[in-house]
Amino acid sequence: MFPPALQEAASIDGASEARTFWMIMLPLSMPSLITSSLFTAIMTWNEFLMGLTMTSGGTTSPLSVGIASLVQPYEVRWGQLAAAGSLAVVPIMIASVVASKRIIAGMTRGAVK
């Protein structure tokens, strides 16, 4: 929650409710929005059980179910398993690196007294 003094200062300066939201509240809440969206993306990317039970396999299954299908009863394709696992991690790692700069900048921006 933001201090009400921020909204009061914006209204005293003549800003409308929409302008206060877009110019003050949204930039201040950006680090928390980015953090929660990153955690949501990581949790949905790693969702295995729901993808396994809700899809019939094949081309409609998520990436985690496809990687798990490389483990067969009599054979484990270690090379393909390692390659697929490495490629599956890359998008989340890139998103984390990009978002970490915004999260740290937002945390340090509000720390001035």
Side-chain angles (χ1 to χ4, degrees):
M1 191 72 181
F2 299 110
L6 290 173
Q7 290 177 335
E8 292 171 3
S11 65
I12 289 172
D13 288 341
S16 66
E17 292 280 331
R19 185 168 176 90
T20 302
F21 174 74
W22 286 106
M23 300 303 255
I24 296 171
M25 298 301 161
L26 190 62
L28 287 175
S29 63
M30 217 40 142
S32 59
L33 291 173
I34 290 172
T35 303
S36 61
S37 63
L38 181 64
F39 286 150
T40 302
I42 289 172
M43 294 306 290
T44 56
W45 193 261
N46 291 330
E47 184 62 43
F48 175 75
L49 188 60
M50 189 67 72
L52 185 63
T53 54
M54 295 294 183
T55 61
S56 60
T59 60
T60 60
S61 64
L63 187 60
S64 58
V65 176
I67 291 172
S69 69
L70 294 173
V71 178
Q72 301 293 322
Y74 298 108
E75 173 188 29
V76 178
R77 299 177 183 162
W78 291 108
Q80 293 175 354
L81 189 66
S86 298
L87 288 177
V89 170
V90 170
I92 294 297
M93 287 181 66
I94 290 172
S96 299
V97 168
V98 170
S100 69
K101 293 179 184 177
R102 294 282 302 201
I103 293 168
I104 293 170
M107 288 184 338
T108 56
R109 186 182 323 146
V112 178
K113 282 193 170 190

